[in-house]
Amino acid sequence: MIRQEVLAPLARQIQPILATFIPATAKLSLADLGPVLARVDERLADEPEALQRQLKLFIRILWWLPVFTHLRTLGGLSPEQRLKMLSWLQDCGVTKLRVGLWGLRTLLFVGWYGDPAVQERLGYRPNIAGWDAWHAPQAPQNQGE
Amino acid sequence: MNPAIHADVVIIGSGAGGGTVAAALAPLVAQGKRVLVIEKGARIDPKQLTGAEVASASLLYGHGGAHPTADHTVTLAYGEALGGSTMVYTGTSMTPPERVITSWNLPGLSYDDVVARTARYAAQNNAGFIPDNLINDNNRLFQKGCAALGREARQFPINVRGCRGSSLCNLGCPNNAKQGTAQVQIPAAQAAGVEVVTRAEVRGLRVGGRGGILDVFVDDLPHPHGSQSEWAPGHHVIHASSVVVAAGAIHSPALLLRSGLAGDLPAIGRFWTCHPAHILAGEHDHVISNYVGHPKSFVWEERVEAERYFLESCMYFPFITAKNLTGFGADHERLMAAYERLQMILVLACDDALPEQRVAIDVNGDPVIHYKLMPKTIEAMVRGTRAAAEIFFAAGALSVHAPSARPTLIERSENADLNTRITTAQFLPGTISVSAAHLMGGCRMGATPRDSVTTSRGQVHGHDWLFVADGSLFPTALEINPYLTIMAVADHVAEAVADREGQTVPRGGDAVPAAS
């Protein structure tokens, strides 16, 4: 099956957004972003083309928006400036902008927190055997309650 | 095109509604009737349920578990597989509140009747309390917090058999322990001769012959795990004496709208409602058992009537957790890193079923849900959020992440300030993640075609061959987890279908024996 690329071609524009949403990703190279965006694209594959177009347009708007305020693109802003700008959008009075940012944030979370390796680093180690696995000698032990 | 198919009863959907009707009408097969179940989703083998969060969600849910409303401020979750949403629920088996059923004022559907039917299906599905040793810290902390505040948390009866506590209920039980319709009613119906066709979508209904004509399309798209359809790909036409629409509260009204029935029935799609919900997380100073055991053991519902919200203990997977925590950046990341120490509570609101809250269809005939969070509903969610924060702190949490607070993290030292820290002004639709899994209305039962779609027996007004049998029938929000009530109402509808077919069936789900 041919994998459809939706956000992957916009990796350069997405990189500073992802780093703002999830600071741990700031050190990822463009190549490292590949698997993250592949998970996002997989999730987007069944969504209508109109939605995919809107999403790409929204990312481009985010990229160019700071030109009006800082005379540079999103990629040229400091991490603090990016955080300030995206936080402002998150709580702004225009529902469509808030929804757009929420949607992009959610998709990038799919790409990052949907990765089983990241989930394991968070301590999430589900097992079909449930309690049997939890109580097994090597399993994480309950330290409380 | 494939040859025309003739059947006596066609049931569209195999979830709590369709699965129930299939089992209840299975005895008709022995009386010479042909009964078909048409399911849009795939048949899933439990071995294919790995617990991988994103892949499983794509496999089991419509829109991957996040069907957005028209303005994208709420996402809706429903199952799309054989078994419908019973594949992805937690199996909480609740009897509906008397005041809700009584308020529906439906002739022939009394509260006592609904209770009797829910009891039979609860027994059939092996509903009961899981043993104490299967309850995890996350759930116990909810109970502990409630108790410290003088609130009574009720334990949920759960319909499981052989639960190992994988906590993967919402991603399809890999141990086949949950007793949904794919485990209980559908196999019983098939054993009695009911035919089940998966990966087949009904795109239209027409009047014709002895009843209705259905246009069904069987897909031939690659599917990562579920089995292929039992039928050849392409367009199939089915002639049926009786048709039962049980495709859920989004797709049932959408199908009736696509079929051109709205002219005589202006209420189709309208009075749609749900229990909008969001998650709160409390951070403890030690690791707790949270992603093992049954994820949902307790409910606190003492304020549902007066204040229109109820709270449930819950636990979600990492991506869903990340999505539901408001915001981003270092604070969000730090909270995610504390995943093993997080306790979670789900706040659910009850809203009014209003005519303007509705399912419509787009130019392709696909559903569009015009649903807005009304001020009263937001107020209820904010009250629920405050009550949940109190429970977290009473259970010993160091801090609480509250979606409608700014900043979202509330420290233990701020416990006395919850009324000012958590406010409706900070509840911003589009910023806060709100989702709903209890989807209701859109084909509501009622007395007249002016303001309802079906009779109290689920028969569509003016179309005696056409029935509805799922949560879309509910005239108002149920105020509790709905699957068992959907089964009870669907069972009631099945009797009306049997009457139309001139047959009798065992009453009250007796076609399938109660679990031993």
Short mmCIF file of all heavy atoms in Angstrom, two decimals, chain A residues 20-24 43 51 90-91 98-99 102 105-106 109-110 113 119 122-125 128-132 142 144-145, chain B residues 53 63 72 134 137 144 164-165 175 286-287 291 293 317-319 322-323 325 327-329 332-333 336 406 429-431 433:
data_model
loop_
_atom_site.label_atom_id
_atom_site.label_comp_id
_atom_site.label_asym_id
_atom_site.label_seq_id
_atom_site.Cartn_x
_atom_site.Cartn_y
_atom_site.Cartn_z
N THR A 20 7.73 23.36 20.31
CA THR A 20 7.02 24.20 21.28
C THR A 20 6.00 23.39 22.06
O THR A 20 5.86 23.54 23.27
CB THR A 20 6.32 25.37 20.55
OG1 THR A 20 7.26 26.00 19.68
CG2 THR A 20 5.78 26.39 21.54
N PHE A 21 5.30 22.53 21.35
CA PHE A 21 4.30 21.69 22.02
C PHE A 21 4.96 20.68 22.95
O PHE A 21 4.49 20.42 24.05
CB PHE A 21 3.45 20.93 20.98
CG PHE A 21 2.49 21.80 20.20
CD1 PHE A 21 1.92 21.33 19.03
CD2 PHE A 21 2.15 23.07 20.63
CE1 PHE A 21 1.01 22.11 18.31
CE2 PHE A 21 1.26 23.86 19.92
CZ PHE A 21 0.69 23.38 18.76
N ILE A 22 6.05 20.06 22.46
CA ILE A 22 6.74 19.01 23.22
C ILE A 22 8.22 19.34 23.22
O ILE A 22 8.97 18.98 22.29
CB ILE A 22 6.51 17.62 22.57
CG1 ILE A 22 5.02 17.38 22.33
CG2 ILE A 22 7.11 16.50 23.43
CD1 ILE A 22 4.72 16.27 21.33
N PRO A 23 8.70 20.07 24.22
CA PRO A 23 10.10 20.53 24.21
C PRO A 23 11.13 19.41 24.02
O PRO A 23 12.20 19.66 23.46
CB PRO A 23 10.25 21.21 25.58
CG PRO A 23 8.86 21.69 25.90
CD PRO A 23 7.94 20.64 25.35
N ALA A 24 10.79 18.19 24.44
CA ALA A 24 11.76 17.09 24.29
C ALA A 24 12.08 16.82 22.83
O ALA A 24 13.10 16.19 22.52
CB ALA A 24 11.21 15.82 24.94
N ARG A 43 -2.83 8.65 10.54
CA ARG A 43 -4.09 9.04 11.18
C ARG A 43 -4.93 9.91 10.25
O ARG A 43 -6.16 9.86 10.25
CB ARG A 43 -3.78 9.79 12.49
CG ARG A 43 -4.97 10.34 13.22
CD ARG A 43 -5.88 9.23 13.73
NE ARG A 43 -7.14 9.77 14.27
CZ ARG A 43 -8.17 10.13 13.53
NH1 ARG A 43 -8.12 10.01 12.21
NH2 ARG A 43 -9.26 10.60 14.10
N LEU A 51 -10.16 18.71 4.70
CA LEU A 51 -9.58 18.88 6.04
C LEU A 51 -8.05 18.87 5.96
O LEU A 51 -7.37 19.67 6.61
CB LEU A 51 -10.07 17.77 6.98
CG LEU A 51 -9.61 17.92 8.41
CD1 LEU A 51 -10.64 18.68 9.22
CD2 LEU A 51 -9.36 16.57 9.07
N GLN A 90 -3.89 29.83 21.33
CA GLN A 90 -4.66 28.81 22.03
C GLN A 90 -5.84 29.42 22.78
O GLN A 90 -6.91 28.81 22.88
CB GLN A 90 -3.77 28.06 23.02
CG GLN A 90 -4.53 27.05 23.86
CD GLN A 90 -3.65 26.34 24.86
OE1 GLN A 90 -3.52 25.13 24.82
NE2 GLN A 90 -3.03 27.09 25.76
N ASP A 91 -5.66 30.60 23.32
CA ASP A 91 -6.71 31.21 24.14
C ASP A 91 -7.34 32.43 23.47
O ASP A 91 -8.03 33.22 24.13
CB ASP A 91 -6.14 31.62 25.50
CG ASP A 91 -5.83 30.41 26.37
OD1 ASP A 91 -6.48 29.37 26.18
OD2 ASP A 91 -4.92 30.51 27.23
N ARG A 98 -8.60 28.76 17.55
CA ARG A 98 -8.38 27.87 18.70
C ARG A 98 -8.53 26.41 18.26
O ARG A 98 -7.72 25.55 18.62
CB ARG A 98 -9.39 28.17 19.82
CG ARG A 98 -9.23 29.51 20.48
CD ARG A 98 -9.88 29.53 21.86
NE ARG A 98 -11.26 29.11 21.87
CZ ARG A 98 -12.32 29.91 21.75
NH1 ARG A 98 -12.11 31.22 21.61
NH2 ARG A 98 -13.54 29.45 21.79
N VAL A 99 -9.59 26.16 17.49
CA VAL A 99 -9.84 24.80 17.03
C VAL A 99 -8.71 24.31 16.13
O VAL A 99 -8.26 23.16 16.22
CB VAL A 99 -11.20 24.75 16.29
CG1 VAL A 99 -11.32 23.49 15.46
CG2 VAL A 99 -12.34 24.84 17.29
N TRP A 102 -5.78 23.48 18.31
CA TRP A 102 -6.07 22.26 19.07
C TRP A 102 -5.92 21.04 18.17
O TRP A 102 -5.33 20.03 18.55
CB TRP A 102 -7.50 22.33 19.64
CG TRP A 102 -7.85 21.14 20.47
CD1 TRP A 102 -7.65 20.97 21.80
CD2 TRP A 102 -8.45 19.92 20.00
NE1 TRP A 102 -8.09 19.73 22.19
CE2 TRP A 102 -8.58 19.06 21.11
CE3 TRP A 102 -8.87 19.46 18.75
CZ2 TRP A 102 -9.13 17.79 21.01
CZ3 TRP A 102 -9.41 18.19 18.65
CH2 TRP A 102 -9.54 17.37 19.77
N ARG A 105 -2.22 20.44 17.41
CA ARG A 105 -1.61 19.95 18.65
C ARG A 105 -1.94 18.47 18.85
O ARG A 105 -1.08 17.64 19.13
CB ARG A 105 -2.14 20.79 19.81
CG ARG A 105 -1.65 20.44 21.18
CD ARG A 105 -2.56 21.05 22.26
NE ARG A 105 -3.68 20.17 22.50
CZ ARG A 105 -3.95 19.57 23.66
NH1 ARG A 105 -3.20 19.78 24.70
NH2 ARG A 105 -4.97 18.76 23.78
N THR A 106 -3.22 18.14 18.66
CA THR A 106 -3.66 16.76 18.88
C THR A 106 -2.98 15.81 17.90
O THR A 106 -2.53 14.72 18.27
CB THR A 106 -5.19 16.69 18.76
OG1 THR A 106 -5.75 17.53 19.78
CG2 THR A 106 -5.70 15.28 18.93
N PHE A 109 0.53 15.26 18.86
CA PHE A 109 0.58 14.36 20.02
C PHE A 109 0.41 12.90 19.58
O PHE A 109 1.01 12.00 20.17
CB PHE A 109 -0.51 14.72 21.04
CG PHE A 109 -0.19 15.95 21.87
CD1 PHE A 109 -1.18 16.53 22.67
CD2 PHE A 109 1.07 16.52 21.89
CE1 PHE A 109 -0.90 17.64 23.46
CE2 PHE A 109 1.36 17.63 22.67
CZ PHE A 109 0.37 18.20 23.46
N VAL A 110 -0.44 12.67 18.56
CA VAL A 110 -0.54 11.30 18.03
C VAL A 110 0.83 10.83 17.57
O VAL A 110 1.26 9.72 17.86
CB VAL A 110 -1.51 11.24 16.82
CG1 VAL A 110 -1.41 9.87 16.13
CG2 VAL A 110 -2.94 11.45 17.23
N TYR A 113 3.22 10.92 21.25
CA TYR A 113 2.77 10.07 22.36
C TYR A 113 2.13 8.76 21.88
O TYR A 113 1.90 7.86 22.67
CB TYR A 113 1.81 10.84 23.26
CG TYR A 113 2.50 11.93 24.04
CD1 TYR A 113 2.24 13.27 23.79
CD2 TYR A 113 3.44 11.61 25.02
CE1 TYR A 113 2.88 14.27 24.49
CE2 TYR A 113 4.10 12.60 25.72
CZ TYR A 113 3.82 13.94 25.47
OH TYR A 113 4.47 14.92 26.16
N GLN A 119 5.80 5.88 24.86
CA GLN A 119 4.86 5.44 25.91
C GLN A 119 5.61 4.65 26.99
O GLN A 119 5.35 4.82 28.18
CB GLN A 119 3.75 4.60 25.29
CG GLN A 119 2.88 5.39 24.31
CD GLN A 119 1.66 4.62 23.84
OE1 GLN A 119 1.59 3.40 23.97
NE2 GLN A 119 0.69 5.34 23.30
N LEU A 122 7.43 6.78 29.35
CA LEU A 122 6.55 7.42 30.34
C LEU A 122 6.18 6.47 31.48
O LEU A 122 5.61 6.88 32.47
CB LEU A 122 5.24 7.87 29.67
CG LEU A 122 5.33 8.95 28.59
CD1 LEU A 122 3.94 9.21 28.01
CD2 LEU A 122 5.92 10.23 29.14
N GLY A 123 6.50 5.18 31.28
CA GLY A 123 6.16 4.19 32.31
C GLY A 123 4.93 3.39 31.95
O GLY A 123 4.47 2.56 32.74
N TYR A 124 4.40 3.60 30.76
CA TYR A 124 3.20 2.87 30.34
C TYR A 124 3.62 1.57 29.67
O TYR A 124 4.18 1.58 28.58
CB TYR A 124 2.39 3.73 29.37
CG TYR A 124 1.15 3.04 28.82
CD1 TYR A 124 0.08 2.71 29.64
CD2 TYR A 124 1.05 2.73 27.46
CE1 TYR A 124 -1.06 2.09 29.13
CE2 TYR A 124 -0.07 2.12 26.94
CZ TYR A 124 -1.13 1.80 27.78
OH TYR A 124 -2.25 1.19 27.27
N ARG A 125 3.39 0.46 30.36
CA ARG A 125 3.81 -0.85 29.84
C ARG A 125 2.63 -1.81 29.95
O ARG A 125 2.61 -2.69 30.82
CB ARG A 125 5.00 -1.38 30.63
CG ARG A 125 6.22 -0.46 30.58
CD ARG A 125 7.35 -0.97 31.48
NE ARG A 125 8.34 0.09 31.66
CZ ARG A 125 8.34 0.92 32.70
NH1 ARG A 125 7.40 0.82 33.63
NH2 ARG A 125 9.26 1.86 32.80
N ILE A 128 -1.26 -7.77 28.14
CA ILE A 128 -2.51 -8.50 28.00
C ILE A 128 -2.78 -9.33 29.25
O ILE A 128 -3.92 -9.55 29.64
CB ILE A 128 -2.47 -9.38 26.73
CG1 ILE A 128 -2.55 -8.48 25.49
CG2 ILE A 128 -3.57 -10.42 26.71
CD1 ILE A 128 -2.28 -9.16 24.19
N ALA A 129 -1.73 -9.77 29.91
CA ALA A 129 -1.88 -10.59 31.12
C ALA A 129 -2.28 -9.77 32.33
O ALA A 129 -2.50 -10.32 33.42
CB ALA A 129 -0.60 -11.35 31.40
N GLY A 130 -2.38 -8.47 32.19
CA GLY A 130 -2.93 -7.62 33.25
C GLY A 130 -2.22 -7.77 34.58
O GLY A 130 -1.00 -7.59 34.68
N TRP A 131 -2.99 -8.10 35.62
CA TRP A 131 -2.44 -8.17 36.97
C TRP A 131 -1.33 -9.22 37.09
O TRP A 131 -0.38 -9.05 37.86
CB TRP A 131 -3.54 -8.48 37.98
CG TRP A 131 -4.39 -7.30 38.32
CD1 TRP A 131 -5.71 -7.13 38.02
CD2 TRP A 131 -4.01 -6.11 39.02
NE1 TRP A 131 -6.17 -5.93 38.48
CE2 TRP A 131 -5.14 -5.28 39.10
CE3 TRP A 131 -2.80 -5.66 39.59
CZ2 TRP A 131 -5.12 -4.03 39.72
CZ3 TRP A 131 -2.78 -4.41 40.21
CH2 TRP A 131 -3.93 -3.62 40.27
N ASP A 132 -1.46 -10.31 36.35
CA ASP A 132 -0.42 -11.35 36.42
C ASP A 132 0.93 -10.76 36.03
O ASP A 132 1.95 -11.04 36.68
CB ASP A 132 -0.76 -12.52 35.50
CG ASP A 132 -1.98 -13.29 35.98
OD1 ASP A 132 -2.33 -13.13 37.18
OD2 ASP A 132 -2.58 -14.02 35.18
N ASN A 142 4.02 -1.61 42.57
CA ASN A 142 3.20 -0.57 43.17
C ASN A 142 3.87 -0.06 44.44
O ASN A 142 4.14 -0.84 45.35
CB ASN A 142 1.83 -1.17 43.47
CG ASN A 142 0.93 -0.18 44.16
OD1 ASN A 142 1.30 0.98 44.28
ND2 ASN A 142 -0.22 -0.63 44.57
N GLY A 144 2.71 2.57 46.24
CA GLY A 144 1.85 3.37 47.11
C GLY A 144 0.58 2.67 47.51
O GLY A 144 0.36 1.52 47.18
N GLU A 145 -0.23 3.40 48.20
CA GLU A 145 -1.56 2.93 48.61
C GLU A 145 -1.50 1.59 49.28
O GLU A 145 -1.80 0.57 48.72
CB GLU A 145 -2.52 2.90 47.42
CG GLU A 145 -3.14 4.24 47.16
CD GLU A 145 -3.92 4.77 48.33
OE1 GLU A 145 -4.99 4.19 48.66
OE2 GLU A 145 -3.51 5.74 48.95
N GLU B 53 -2.07 1.61 21.02
CA GLU B 53 -3.11 2.64 21.15
C GLU B 53 -3.61 3.17 19.81
O GLU B 53 -4.81 3.13 19.53
CB GLU B 53 -2.59 3.80 22.01
CG GLU B 53 -3.67 4.84 22.25
CD GLU B 53 -3.20 6.00 23.11
OE1 GLU B 53 -2.00 6.09 23.43
OE2 GLU B 53 -4.07 6.82 23.47
N HIS B 63 -13.73 7.20 12.62
CA HIS B 63 -12.84 8.38 12.68
C HIS B 63 -11.75 8.21 13.73
O HIS B 63 -11.35 9.19 14.38
CB HIS B 63 -13.64 9.66 12.96
CG HIS B 63 -14.38 10.19 11.77
ND1 HIS B 63 -13.96 11.24 11.01
CD2 HIS B 63 -15.53 9.78 11.20
CE1 HIS B 63 -14.81 11.46 10.03
NE2 HIS B 63 -15.78 10.58 10.12
N HIS B 72 -15.96 21.51 15.30
CA HIS B 72 -14.72 20.88 15.79
C HIS B 72 -14.43 21.19 17.26
O HIS B 72 -13.28 21.09 17.68
CB HIS B 72 -13.52 21.28 14.93
CG HIS B 72 -13.52 20.64 13.57
ND1 HIS B 72 -12.60 19.72 13.16
CD2 HIS B 72 -14.36 20.78 12.52
CE1 HIS B 72 -12.86 19.32 11.92
NE2 HIS B 72 -13.93 19.97 11.52
N LEU B 134 -9.09 -7.01 41.96
CA LEU B 134 -8.89 -6.53 40.59
C LEU B 134 -8.99 -5.01 40.50
O LEU B 134 -8.77 -4.43 39.44
CB LEU B 134 -9.92 -7.16 39.64
CG LEU B 134 -9.76 -8.65 39.33
CD1 LEU B 134 -10.83 -9.10 38.34
CD2 LEU B 134 -8.37 -8.94 38.75
N ASP B 137 -5.29 1.08 42.21
CA ASP B 137 -5.14 2.25 43.07
C ASP B 137 -5.92 3.45 42.54
O ASP B 137 -6.49 4.23 43.30
CB ASP B 137 -3.67 2.66 43.17
CG ASP B 137 -2.81 1.61 43.86
OD1 ASP B 137 -3.37 0.78 44.59
OD2 ASP B 137 -1.58 1.65 43.67
N LYS B 144 -11.69 6.60 47.87
CA LYS B 144 -11.14 7.17 49.12
C LYS B 144 -11.44 8.67 49.21
O LYS B 144 -11.86 9.18 50.25
CB LYS B 144 -9.62 6.94 49.14
CG LYS B 144 -8.89 7.55 50.31
CD LYS B 144 -7.38 7.31 50.16
CE LYS B 144 -6.58 8.13 51.18
NZ LYS B 144 -5.13 7.96 50.99
N ARG B 164 -8.72 -10.28 33.17
CA ARG B 164 -7.38 -10.39 33.73
C ARG B 164 -6.84 -9.04 34.15
O ARG B 164 -5.73 -8.94 34.67
CB ARG B 164 -6.43 -11.03 32.72
CG ARG B 164 -6.89 -12.40 32.25
CD ARG B 164 -5.93 -12.99 31.26
NE ARG B 164 -4.69 -13.41 31.91
CZ ARG B 164 -3.62 -13.84 31.25
NH1 ARG B 164 -3.64 -13.91 29.94
NH2 ARG B 164 -2.53 -14.20 31.90
N GLY B 165 -7.62 -8.00 33.89
CA GLY B 165 -7.17 -6.67 34.28
C GLY B 165 -6.14 -6.07 33.34
O GLY B 165 -5.24 -5.36 33.78
N ASN B 175 -8.48 -10.26 25.83
CA ASN B 175 -8.79 -11.54 26.46
C ASN B 175 -10.24 -11.97 26.23
O ASN B 175 -10.69 -12.95 26.82
CB ASN B 175 -8.50 -11.44 27.97
CG ASN B 175 -7.03 -11.15 28.24
OD1 ASN B 175 -6.16 -11.84 27.71
ND2 ASN B 175 -6.74 -10.12 29.01
N HIS B 286 3.69 9.34 44.52
CA HIS B 286 4.21 7.98 44.38
C HIS B 286 3.52 7.31 43.19
O HIS B 286 2.43 7.72 42.77
CB HIS B 286 3.97 7.18 45.65
CG HIS B 286 2.53 7.14 46.07
ND1 HIS B 286 1.96 8.08 46.89
CD2 HIS B 286 1.53 6.30 45.73
CE1 HIS B 286 0.69 7.81 47.06
NE2 HIS B 286 0.38 6.74 46.36
N VAL B 287 4.16 6.26 42.69
CA VAL B 287 3.59 5.49 41.59
C VAL B 287 2.34 4.78 42.10
O VAL B 287 2.33 4.26 43.22
CB VAL B 287 4.62 4.47 41.06
CG1 VAL B 287 3.97 3.50 40.06
CG2 VAL B 287 5.79 5.19 40.41
N TYR B 291 -2.73 1.84 35.03
CA TYR B 291 -3.01 1.29 33.70
C TYR B 291 -3.14 -0.23 33.75
O TYR B 291 -3.05 -0.90 32.72
CB TYR B 291 -1.95 1.72 32.68
CG TYR B 291 -0.57 1.17 32.93
CD1 TYR B 291 -0.23 -0.12 32.51
CD2 TYR B 291 0.39 1.92 33.58
CE1 TYR B 291 1.01 -0.65 32.74
CE2 TYR B 291 1.65 1.42 33.81
CZ TYR B 291 1.96 0.13 33.39
OH TYR B 291 3.21 -0.38 33.62
N GLY B 293 -5.61 -3.43 35.70
CA GLY B 293 -6.89 -3.59 36.39
C GLY B 293 -8.02 -3.05 35.53
O GLY B 293 -7.78 -2.54 34.44
N PHE B 317 -5.07 6.05 27.93
CA PHE B 317 -3.77 5.70 27.37
C PHE B 317 -2.96 6.99 27.13
O PHE B 317 -3.52 8.08 27.13
CB PHE B 317 -3.99 4.92 26.07
CG PHE B 317 -5.06 3.88 26.22
CD1 PHE B 317 -6.33 4.07 25.68
CD2 PHE B 317 -4.83 2.73 26.96
CE1 PHE B 317 -7.33 3.14 25.85
CE2 PHE B 317 -5.84 1.79 27.14
CZ PHE B 317 -7.09 2.00 26.58
N PRO B 318 -1.66 6.87 26.89
CA PRO B 318 -0.83 8.09 26.83
C PRO B 318 -1.27 9.15 25.81
O PRO B 318 -1.34 10.33 26.15
CB PRO B 318 0.56 7.54 26.51
CG PRO B 318 0.57 6.20 27.16
CD PRO B 318 -0.82 5.66 26.94
N PHE B 319 -1.57 8.73 24.57
CA PHE B 319 -1.95 9.76 23.61
C PHE B 319 -3.26 10.43 24.03
O PHE B 319 -3.37 11.67 23.99
CB PHE B 319 -2.07 9.20 22.19
CG PHE B 319 -2.96 10.06 21.33
CD1 PHE B 319 -2.62 11.38 21.06
CD2 PHE B 319 -4.18 9.57 20.86
CE1 PHE B 319 -3.47 12.20 20.31
CE2 PHE B 319 -5.03 10.38 20.13
CZ PHE B 319 -4.68 11.69 19.85
N ALA B 322 -2.54 12.83 26.74
CA ALA B 322 -1.88 14.05 26.24
C ALA B 322 -2.90 14.96 25.58
O ALA B 322 -2.90 16.19 25.78
CB ALA B 322 -0.78 13.68 25.26
N LYS B 323 -3.77 14.38 24.79
CA LYS B 323 -4.80 15.16 24.09
C LYS B 323 -5.72 15.86 25.08
O LYS B 323 -6.13 17.00 24.88
CB LYS B 323 -5.60 14.20 23.19
CG LYS B 323 -6.87 14.76 22.60
CD LYS B 323 -7.65 13.65 21.91
CE LYS B 323 -9.10 14.06 21.72
NZ LYS B 323 -9.91 12.98 21.15
N LEU B 325 -5.17 16.69 28.30
CA LEU B 325 -4.59 17.71 29.17
C LEU B 325 -4.54 19.01 28.37
O LEU B 325 -3.97 19.04 27.28
CB LEU B 325 -3.20 17.31 29.63
CG LEU B 325 -3.08 16.00 30.42
CD1 LEU B 325 -1.62 15.68 30.72
CD2 LEU B 325 -3.88 16.08 31.71
N GLY B 327 -3.46 22.51 26.89
CA GLY B 327 -2.19 23.22 26.74
C GLY B 327 -1.09 22.39 26.13
O GLY B 327 -1.32 21.31 25.58
N PHE B 328 0.10 22.90 26.25
CA PHE B 328 1.29 22.26 25.68
C PHE B 328 2.52 22.88 26.32
O PHE B 328 2.40 23.74 27.20
CB PHE B 328 1.31 22.45 24.15
CG PHE B 328 1.02 23.87 23.70
CD1 PHE B 328 1.99 24.86 23.79
CD2 PHE B 328 -0.24 24.21 23.21
CE1 PHE B 328 1.72 26.16 23.39
CE2 PHE B 328 -0.51 25.51 22.80
CZ PHE B 328 0.47 26.49 22.89
N GLY B 329 3.69 22.44 25.87
CA GLY B 329 4.93 23.01 26.40
C GLY B 329 5.45 22.25 27.62
O GLY B 329 5.03 21.12 27.89
N HIS B 332 2.96 20.79 30.30
CA HIS B 332 2.25 19.63 29.76
C HIS B 332 3.17 18.41 29.72
O HIS B 332 2.79 17.31 30.13
CB HIS B 332 1.73 19.98 28.36
CG HIS B 332 0.89 18.92 27.71
ND1 HIS B 332 1.44 17.80 27.11
CD2 HIS B 332 -0.46 18.80 27.56
CE1 HIS B 332 0.47 17.04 26.62
NE2 HIS B 332 -0.69 17.63 26.88
N GLU B 333 4.37 18.65 29.25
CA GLU B 333 5.34 17.56 29.12
C GLU B 333 5.70 16.97 30.49
O GLU B 333 5.82 15.76 30.66
CB GLU B 333 6.59 18.10 28.44
CG GLU B 333 7.56 17.05 27.96
CD GLU B 333 8.71 17.71 27.19
OE1 GLU B 333 9.42 18.55 27.78
OE2 GLU B 333 8.88 17.39 26.03
N MET B 336 2.91 14.76 31.67
CA MET B 336 2.93 13.48 30.95
C MET B 336 4.03 12.57 31.50
O MET B 336 3.85 11.35 31.58
CB MET B 336 3.15 13.72 29.45
CG MET B 336 1.92 14.23 28.71
SD MET B 336 0.48 13.14 28.84
CE MET B 336 1.06 11.68 27.99
N ARG B 406 -6.86 28.49 34.73
CA ARG B 406 -5.68 29.13 34.14
C ARG B 406 -4.84 29.72 35.26
O ARG B 406 -5.33 30.61 35.95
CB ARG B 406 -6.04 30.24 33.16
CG ARG B 406 -6.64 29.75 31.87
CD ARG B 406 -5.61 28.99 31.00
NE ARG B 406 -6.20 28.63 29.72
CZ ARG B 406 -7.03 27.60 29.51
NH1 ARG B 406 -7.32 26.81 30.52
NH2 ARG B 406 -7.53 27.37 28.33
N PRO B 429 -14.37 26.52 24.58
CA PRO B 429 -14.55 25.46 23.56
C PRO B 429 -13.54 25.65 22.44
O PRO B 429 -13.32 26.77 21.97
CB PRO B 429 -15.98 25.70 23.07
CG PRO B 429 -16.67 26.38 24.20
CD PRO B 429 -15.62 27.25 24.82
N GLY B 430 -12.94 24.57 22.04
CA GLY B 430 -11.89 24.66 21.01
C GLY B 430 -10.50 24.64 21.62
O GLY B 430 -9.55 24.26 20.94
N THR B 431 -10.39 25.01 22.88
CA THR B 431 -9.11 24.91 23.58
C THR B 431 -9.11 23.69 24.49
O THR B 431 -8.14 22.94 24.56
CB THR B 431 -8.84 26.18 24.42
OG1 THR B 431 -8.75 27.28 23.53
CG2 THR B 431 -7.56 26.06 25.21
N SER B 433 -10.23 20.02 25.53
CA SER B 433 -10.65 18.79 24.87
C SER B 433 -11.94 18.29 25.51
O SER B 433 -11.95 17.93 26.68
CB SER B 433 -9.57 17.71 25.02
OG SER B 433 -8.45 18.03 24.25
#
